[in-house]
Amino acid sequence: MITFKQFLQEDEELPDAREFLHRECKPFIQQSQGAGVFLRGVDTRNPPELMGEFRLPSGRTIRLHKMKVRKDRHPMDTSTFMHTVTDEWMREKFGISGRSGSAFVIGDKEFTAYKDAMSYGDVYAVIPRGDFKFLWSPNVRDLFDQYQYKGLKDKITGLHRDEKIQMIRDELESLQYTDADLPGAIKSGREVMLECDELIMMYAMDGYRDDIKDLQELLK
């Protein structure tokens, strides 16, 4: 038997998904111009927090989650030296802590980068909540790969510290990073750094793609 309080909760109408997202994600909606959402792979041992169920215009429901963005991120694969030099360059040039204070997401409107996101865990559609900054390059699929497999790691080996710093900064300059064109970033299939306080997320593994398409429609 359920309590009267539980009965009232069950009888309450679910919050409207469109109204909620247009209130909480207004900066993203305005800048994205209906281009879609980002994807992010999440370690199954640390899933995002469930916010609850929300009602779609069709009457169906979706479940939304949230996750705080860490501001003290340490590199998993890139050397601490490269991580620090890169982060300092991004702060100086764009005012964004791209490596230590941002969430890494993948621009992907048509799910072409789905497998890339899966390599990090369960896939979620991602929207920044509230104010945010972003940084990406149309020439960089993944910055770690750029360092590891495009020759920069070998080039700086044996150089003095100042020479290493200058070579890394020169490389970053050549990659054409930008904090403009959010629709282009979303459609790019490239790594995008989102600097914000919190992400709103939707589970997007196989079988949930219709929900993601509904989510994209809500943001137009």
Side-chain angles (χ1 to χ4, degrees):
M1 176 179 289
I2 65 172
T3 66
F4 182 63
K5 181 179 179 180
Q6 289 172 324
F7 170 79
L8 290 177
Q9 289 174 335
E10 289 184 2
D11 194 49
E12 287 179 355
E13 185 174 327
L14 293 175
D16 181 83
R18 183 187 296 277
E19 179 182 338
F20 173 77
L21 291 169
H22 278 256
R23 182 181 71 243
E24 299 296 319
C25 305
K26 185 177 180 179
F28 176 81
I29 291 171
Q30 290 178 332
Q31 293 185 53
S32 64
Q33 301 173 25
V37 296
F38 291 112
L39 296 181
R40 175 178 169 87
V42 178
D43 191 324
T44 55
R45 296 169 296 181
N46 187 32
E49 179 184 347
L50 177 65
M51 298 180 72
E53 291 190 337
F54 294 78
R55 176 175 45 82
L56 294 169
S58 65
R60 295 197 310 110
T61 62
I62 56 174
R63 304 180 83 190
L64 296 179
H65 301 74
K66 63 181 180 179
M67 177 178 282
K68 295 286 186 183
V69 176
R70 289 182 57 184
K71 303 302 179 182
D72 61 348
R73 183 183 175 276
H74 299 287
M76 293 180 60
D77 302 304
T78 309
S79 73
T80 300
F81 181 78
M82 283 191 175
H83 172 88
T84 302
V85 173
T86 302
D87 211 43
E88 290 177 350
W89 178 83
M90 290 178 173
R91 279 198 299 269
E92 288 176 16
K93 192 170 180 68
F94 299 101
I96 297 175
S97 297
R99 308 314 283 180
S100 65
S102 297
F104 296 171
V105 298
I106 300 174
D108 184 41
K109 185 179 182 183
E110 301 297 338
F111 297 97
T112 54
Y114 196 82
K115 290 183 178 179
D116 288 343
M118 282 187 67
S119 65
Y120 295 95
D122 286 347
V123 181
Y124 287 79
V126 174
I127 310 164
R129 188 175 191 175
D131 292 330
F132 72 102
K133 298 178 181 179
F134 68 99
L135 188 61
W136 71 293
S137 167
N139 302 310
V140 179
R141 178 174 168 270
D142 183 285
L143 189 54
F144 169 72
D145 289 348
Q146 192 76 25
Y147 284 152
Q148 189 76 13
Y149 304 119
K150 301 294 184 179
L152 183 59
K153 181 180 177 182
D154 294 332
K155 289 178 183 177
I156 67 172
T157 301
L159 296 179
H160 294 298
R161 182 178 183 277
D162 289 347
E163 293 174 324
K164 289 181 179 180
I165 292 173
Q166 191 58 54
M167 184 165 284
I168 293 171
R169 292 172 70 93
D170 289 345
E171 176 75 8
L172 290 166
E173 287 284 356
S174 74
L175 295 175
Q176 299 181 317
Y177 271 97
T178 179
D179 57 356
D181 189 13
L182 184 61
I186 292 170
K187 298 173 184 178
S188 68
R190 302 303 195 203
E191 173 187 81
V192 180
M193 290 157 274
L194 286 180
E195 187 180 80
C196 57
D197 291 331
E198 192 169 68
L199 302 173
I200 291 179
M201 309 171 72
M202 178 191 286
Y203 190 69
M205 295 295 283
D206 289 337
Y208 284 78
R209 295 192 181 187
D210 286 342
D211 287 345
I212 304 307
K213 290 178 181 178
D214 287 337
L215 177 63
Q216 291 174 334
E217 286 298 316
L218 291 179
L219 301 177
K220 293 181 178 179

